[in-house]
Amino acid sequence: ITFTRAEGDTADALVVEVANDRASGHARNGGSGLTGLAERLAGAGGRLTAEPTPEGGFLLRAAVPWAVEGPDRPSGHEEARL
């Protein structure tokens, strides 16, 4: 698991990457899975990418906007919540 603060052309973001080196083979039922995670991230102004790696593993990358100053947040408040 990797956490980084990415500063790009459009916005600051907290980026979380989770990678594995091979498929787990475990299918789970009853949850909203990647779709639910993508919806939660979108609701916070973020995005989700999920893709296989060339090595046969899987990479999940979630980016959430870094907290911005505004009437609800004091200056210098650096926290992103889902």
Side-chain angles (χ1 to χ4, degrees), residues 2-73:
T2 305
F3 297 91
T4 56
R5 181 177 179 184
E7 298 180 58
D9 295 335
T10 56
D12 274 348
L14 171 65
V15 179
V16 179
E17 292 183 346
V18 179
N20 69 359
D21 57 3
R22 60 183 168 82
S24 69
H26 292 89
R28 298 183 188 241
N29 296 321
S32 56
L34 295 177
T35 301
L37 183 55
E39 289 171 354
R40 286 182 176 195
L41 286 164
R47 67 186 181 285
L48 176 73
T49 58
E51 57 194 15
T53 65
E55 298 81 19
F58 204 75
L59 175 64
L60 184 70
R61 180 180 294 122
V64 183
W66 200 262
V68 296
E69 294 179 22
D72 297 354
R73 296 179 186 246

